[in-house]
Amino acid sequence: MSCPYSSNYREMEDSIKTDFKDDMSYADYLNLEQILSAQQPQSDQHDEMLFIVIHQASELWLKLAGHEITAAVTMLKNAEFGPAFKVISRVKQIFIQLTQSWNILSTLTPVDYLKFRDSLGHSSGFQSHGYRKMEFLLGNKNQALIKVHESNSAAYDELTAISNAPSIYDEVIRIMAASGFDIDNSMLERDFNQPYQSNESVLNAWLEVYRNADKHFELYELAEKLMDIEDAFQQWRFKHMYTVQRVIGNKMGTGGSSGVAFLKKALDISFFPELLELRTKL
C-alpha cells in the first residue's frame, strides 16, 4: 500500500542497516563523539560557538592541505607529475573553501565579538600549527615563529623538521636543475631554514620554460599549478585580514601582534617570487 504522502515521503528501504551493536557506524568511523564534543565555549555568549566551529573546521582543512602538499613533494621527487598535479589542485580548492569560511565569520558583529573576546585570553590564530606548517611547506620559513610552539613538543619538532627540509619550491628548483637548466648551485644546497629569496638563475630558467611551453610542458603546467596555490592562499590571507579589520578594527591581536597591520605584511610575501616576476619579463 502506498503512503498517502508519497510525494513528500521517503520510505525506509529494508536493505538499510540499522543495527550497529557489533559493527562500525558512521559516527564511529569519524570519531564524531570526540569531534562534536570539542566545542567548549569559555563564555555564555551565543556567537562564541560560531567562532569556535569556524576555527576548528579551518584547522581540519589546514591539516588536509598539509597532508596533500607533503604528498605532492614526494610525488615530484619521484617524477610523478600527474598525481602531483592532482593533489596540488586539491590544495587550491581547500584554500578556496577556507576563504569562504571568512564570509561566515564576518556575520559576527564587533559588538557581539567583544562580549566574549576576553575569554580567548592570549590564544590566537598566530599560534596555529597547521597554518605555520603550510607556510613552511610552501617556503615561507621563519625559525623565530617556531618559538610559540615550544610548549607543544610534537608541533615544535615537526615544524623544526619541516623548516630544515626543502620546501616544495626548493624541490621544484632541484627538478629544473636535474632537467638541464642552469641553476646556481647555491640554490640547490642552501640553508633551507632561511626564507626563500628570488634568484636570477631560477628566473631565467622559468623564462625558458614559459617561452618554450610545448617543449617543457610538465614544468610549465607545474608552475601554473603553483601559481594557483599562491593565488588562492593570498585571497585567503586578504579575506582573513579584512574580516579581522571588519570585526575589531585596528585593535591589537589577542596573541600580542599589532593585529591588522601585522596581517597586511603577509600580503607582500610571495612563495614563488620568480613565477610572478617572469610575467613582467615575458
Side-chain angles (χ1 to χ4, degrees):
M1 181 176 178
S2 63
C3 175
Y5 308 105
S6 58
S7 63
N8 198 31
Y9 178 81
R10 182 174 61 168
E11 291 188 14
M12 183 76 160
E13 295 176 348
D14 292 339
S15 59
I16 293 177
K17 184 173 178 60
T18 59
D19 183 3
F20 292 94
K21 293 192 189 86
D22 301 311
D23 203 353
M24 179 173 64
S25 70
Y26 175 80
D28 295 332
Y29 176 69
L30 295 177
N31 287 315
L32 289 184
E33 184 176 351
Q34 182 179 0
I35 291 172
L36 298 179
S37 63
Q39 295 73 48
Q40 302 291 331
Q42 300 298 302
S43 75
D44 60 359
Q45 298 301 313
H46 172 83
D47 284 347
E48 189 178 356
M49 180 63 78
L50 163 69
F51 191 83
I52 291 172
V53 169
I54 287 291
H55 286 84
Q56 287 183 341
S58 295
E59 290 299 326
L60 286 172
W61 285 119
L62 285 169
K63 180 175 183 177
L64 179 58
H67 172 74
E68 301 295 353
I69 287 293
T70 300
V73 170
T74 300
M75 292 167 182
L76 290 173
K77 283 181 177 179
N78 295 331
E80 298 171 346
F81 284 90
F85 292 163
K86 177 182 177 180
V87 297
I88 291 173
S89 294
R90 183 176 294 160
V91 172
K92 170 191 172 182
Q93 295 301 323
I94 291 170
F95 284 123
I96 291 173
Q97 177 73 21
L98 283 164
T99 301
Q100 169 62 25
S101 71
W102 294 121
N103 292 333
I104 305 172
L105 190 62
S106 67
T107 64
L108 178 65
T109 68
V111 171
D112 288 329
Y113 180 49
L114 288 174
K115 290 176 182 177
F116 66 85
R117 188 178 189 236
D118 288 345
S119 300
L120 274 63
H122 292 297
S123 63
S124 164
F126 181 78
Q127 299 145 21
S128 169
H129 162 249
Y131 176 82
R132 197 65 58 209
K133 177 178 177 178
M134 274 304 305
E135 281 209 317
F136 281 15
L137 286 170
L138 292 174
N140 183 24
K141 307 286 187 68
N142 185 340
Q143 275 199 308
L145 301 180
I146 304 177
K147 185 174 177 61
V148 74
H149 299 281
E150 282 183 334
S151 61
N152 183 334
S153 59
Y156 183 86
D157 291 345
E158 182 180 33
L159 288 174
T160 299
I162 295 172
S163 182
N164 287 327
S167 70
I168 188 171
Y169 195 47
D170 289 315
E171 293 294 354
V172 169
I173 291 170
R174 286 179 168 183
I175 290 170
M176 296 178 77
S179 298
F181 290 93
D182 186 14
I183 304 292
D184 291 345
N185 191 61
S186 62
M187 300 303 296
L188 305 177
E189 299 299 335
R190 69 184 189 87
D191 180 357
F192 297 115
N193 278 305
Q194 299 303 312
Y196 183 85
Q197 299 294 328
S198 181
N199 176 268
E200 187 173 1
S201 71
V202 176
L203 175 60
N204 289 334
W206 280 124
L207 283 168
E208 174 67 18
V209 168
Y210 272 71
R211 286 168 177 158
N212 298 277
D214 290 342
K215 179 180 178 182
H216 307 294
F217 187 77
E218 283 185 331
L219 286 171
Y220 175 70
E221 181 71 5
L222 176 56
E224 287 300 297
K225 293 291 186 188
L226 293 178
M227 282 306 304
D228 283 345
I229 291 180
E230 171 119 352
D231 188 339
F233 200 101
Q234 287 288 49
Q235 290 187 53
W236 180 46
R237 279 173 165 167
F238 177 82
K239 190 63 176 177
H240 178 198
M241 178 277 296
Y242 198 83
T243 302
V244 171
Q245 188 173 47
R246 174 173 174 164
V247 176
I248 68 168
N250 291 311
K251 291 183 178 71
M252 287 185 63
T254 49
S257 76
S258 57
V260 168
F262 183 75
L263 295 175
K264 284 182 176 179
K265 293 176 183 177
L267 298 175
D268 294 327
I269 297 172
S270 172
F271 297 118
F272 322 119
E274 294 90 354
L275 295 182
L276 286 174
E277 291 174 39
L278 71 84
R279 268 95 178 142
T280 304
K281 300 285 187 181
L282 283 173

